């Protein structure tokens, strides 16, 4: 190997690229320091308050396993909320996905209107939706289901509209050229191309709804989160620990099952 062929660290990047990386690194550090000073939040505070964290964690153990009998009804309620909201969101999302795809919806006014509505929906956090619907319909499962439906529609339509926009349009053009109407074009040319991804994303949204329904319960939207909120208010930390461990186990199992189903579909 000649001397010119030998590897040197300086040969990895040109000088201009190294300067750009260095400036970007300095900018990130600078923004971090400015943000920390502005918010008076520094990473060292975590280590200074470590004793408080260990004290709080100590209150959660050992879990109160005798509390398990109270957890199951609310846990099943949470799962039912996720199933209902995901099912309805999937049905609602079908026409919206098509209307939000520019290669299917040729009317620019309708397309832009749908995009605007979906952008508004996605900017509202699920917990804010839950607070609004709890105020409208009262504390309970119904408020949580409505909030989860709207939240899930925003996610599913965004994902699927991008999939639809990336499909091969040749089959659609062939069906139209042979006299097929819009419904036939969608059914025979669009659906076969997007169906596996649609089922996969629907399972993914179901996973998200399971987690979200737990959080929504903290503001009175039903489910096991409502039980957590009650026990936290009573300072019953061993019971809270039991609930959290059960939720963790259930979410892991659901994630595993959903992952296997997605692997078999896609």
């Amino acid at each position: 190997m000649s001397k010119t062929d030998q590897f040197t660290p300086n040969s990895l990047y040109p000088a201009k690229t190294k300067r750009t990386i260095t400036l970007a690194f300095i900018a990130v550090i600078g923004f971090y320091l400015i943000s920390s000073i502005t918010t008076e939040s520094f990473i060292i505070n975590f280590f200074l308050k470590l004793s408080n964290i260990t004290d709080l964690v100590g209150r959660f153990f050992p879990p109160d396993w005798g509390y398990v009998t109270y957890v199951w009804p609310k846990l099943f309620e949470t799962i039912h909320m996720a199933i209902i909201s995901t099912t309805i969101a999937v049905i609602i999302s079908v026409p919206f996905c098509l209307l939000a795809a520019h290669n299917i919806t040729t009317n620019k006014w309708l397309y832009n209107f749908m995009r605007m509505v979906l952008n508004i929906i996605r900017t509202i956090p699920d917990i804010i939706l839950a607070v609004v619907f709890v105020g409208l319909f009262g504390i309970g499962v119904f408020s949580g289901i409505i909030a989860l439906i709207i939240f899930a529609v925003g996610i599913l339509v965004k994902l699927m509209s991008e999939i639809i926009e990336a499909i091969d349009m040749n089959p659609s053009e062939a069906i139209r050229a042979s006299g097929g109407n819009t419904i036939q074009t969608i059914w025979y040319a669009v659906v076969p191309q997007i169906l596996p991804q649609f089922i996969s994303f629907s399972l993914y949204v179901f996973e998200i709804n399971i987690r979200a329904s737990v959080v929504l319960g903290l503001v009175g939207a039903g489910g096991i989160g409502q039980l957590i909120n009650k026990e936290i208010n009573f300072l019953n930390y061993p019971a809270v620990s039991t609930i959290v461990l059960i939720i963790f186990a259930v979410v892991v199992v659901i994630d595993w099952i959903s992952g296997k189903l997605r692997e078999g579909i896609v």
Side-chain angles (χ1 to χ4, degrees):
M1 179 183 292
S2 64
K3 188 174 182 179
T4 57
D5 294 334
Q6 291 180 353
F7 169 80
T8 59
N10 291 331
S11 65
L12 282 173
Y13 304 105
K16 183 179 180 180
T17 303
K18 288 192 289 185
R19 284 196 301 270
T20 303
I21 294 173
T22 303
L23 290 174
F25 179 75
I26 293 172
V28 170
I29 297 298
F31 283 127
Y32 166 76
L33 292 174
I34 292 171
S35 301
S36 296
I37 293 170
T38 303
T39 60
E40 298 181 357
S41 301
F42 299 91
I43 193 65
I44 194 173
N45 292 340
F46 175 83
F47 299 99
L48 294 176
K49 302 295 183 179
L50 199 59
S51 59
N52 293 347
I53 297 173
T54 55
D55 177 61
L56 181 61
V57 172
R59 298 181 189 179
F60 283 87
F61 292 94
D64 181 9
W65 295 113
Y67 193 77
V68 172
T69 54
Y70 299 97
V71 177
W72 296 126
K74 286 294 183 180
L75 178 62
F76 291 134
E77 185 176 89
T78 297
I79 295 174
H80 293 157
M81 286 173 61
I83 292 172
I84 294 170
S85 58
T86 304
T87 303
I88 297 175
V90 166
I91 296 171
I92 294 174
S93 297
V94 172
F96 287 172
C97 292
L98 299 170
L99 293 173
H102 68 78
N103 55 343
I104 302 297
T105 305
T106 55
N107 187 316
K108 290 185 178 181
W109 290 100
L110 181 58
Y111 169 76
N112 290 328
F113 174 76
M114 284 303 305
R115 283 287 182 174
M116 181 185 67
V117 171
L118 293 171
N119 286 335
I120 293 172
I121 290 175
R122 286 196 301 273
T123 57
I124 305 174
D126 54 344
I127 195 166
I128 300 300
L129 290 171
V131 170
V132 170
F133 288 117
V134 165
L136 291 174
F137 303 115
I139 294 174
V141 175
F142 182 75
S143 300
I145 289 174
I146 299 299
L148 287 175
I149 289 171
I150 296 175
F151 175 67
V153 166
I155 296 174
L156 195 55
V157 173
K158 170 66 175 177
L159 295 172
M160 285 310 305
S161 62
E162 293 180 353
I163 293 294
I164 293 172
E165 290 177 344
I167 65 173
D168 182 9
M169 293 301 294
N170 289 329
S172 300
E173 293 171 0
I175 292 174
R176 286 197 182 107
S178 61
N181 57 35
T182 302
I183 301 297
Q184 291 172 328
T185 302
I186 293 172
W187 184 254
Y188 292 106
V190 178
V191 171
Q193 295 187 68
I194 67 169
L195 187 58
Q197 290 86 354
F198 185 73
I199 296 174
S200 176
F201 286 141
S202 299
L203 292 170
Y204 173 65
V205 168
F206 173 69
E207 295 176 27
I208 294 175
N209 279 346
I210 287 287
R211 299 182 183 91
S213 59
V214 174
V215 178
L216 299 190
L218 297 175
V219 294
I224 201 169
Q226 202 168 343
L227 190 62
I228 294 175
N229 190 40
K230 184 188 77 172
E231 297 304 331
I232 288 176
N233 291 334
F234 289 156
L235 303 181
N236 189 0
Y237 295 116
V240 174
S241 176
T242 303
I243 299 170
V244 170
L245 290 174
I246 291 174
I247 292 172
F248 174 76
V250 170
V251 168
V252 168
V253 171
I254 290 175
D255 283 353
W256 182 81
I257 294 173
S258 180
K260 291 298 182 182
L261 290 174
R262 286 200 301 271
E263 288 176 8
I265 293 169
V266 180

